[in-house]
Amino acid sequence: FEVTGVWPVGTIVSLNDKSIAVVREVNERDIFRPKVEVLFPSEKKRFIDTEVEKEKVKIMSALNPFAEGKDYLDAIRR
């Protein structure tokens, strides 16, 4: 867990505000709170350090890239 974190880079996740994001960077200070890029909705696209915004933003779950997360696969490759 110390090397890859709880949320490995490239994991598609749902956030508590119903946004969909991809993990872009593991946080070495807190492996439970990575840096993510919001993919959906498009008007909310941005980078979030979930450690800094821990009172507002929480990861709820990982999305299966072969099921509910498949629509975001192209976006995570960018």
Side-chain angles (χ1 to χ4, degrees):
F1 286 117
E2 289 179 24
V3 175
T4 61
V6 175
W7 306 103
V9 171
T11 303
I12 303 167
V13 296
S14 64
L15 305 179
N16 61 315
D17 68 352
K18 308 285 191 238
S19 296
I20 304 298
V22 61
V23 175
R24 291 293 187 196
E25 189 177 326
V26 174
N27 187 335
E28 294 177 11
R29 293 180 306 275
D30 186 345
I31 62 172
F32 295 96
R33 301 196 179 277
K35 295 177 183 176
V36 301
E37 178 185 5
V38 175
L39 304 173
F40 178 84
S42 58
E43 63 272 5
K44 288 188 175 185
K45 282 190 177 186
R46 62 190 168 119
F47 286 92
I48 300 172
D49 184 335
T50 60
E51 180 186 23
V52 172
E53 298 200 33
K54 62 185 167 191
E55 299 302 319
K56 298 177 190 174
V57 179
K58 293 179 177 45
I59 294 175
M60 302 306 290
S61 65
L63 301 182
N64 182 333
F66 301 106
E68 67 274 12
K70 70 181 175 186
D71 293 337
Y72 306 100
L73 288 177
D74 286 337
I76 67 171
R77 294 183 187 124
R78 294 181 200 147

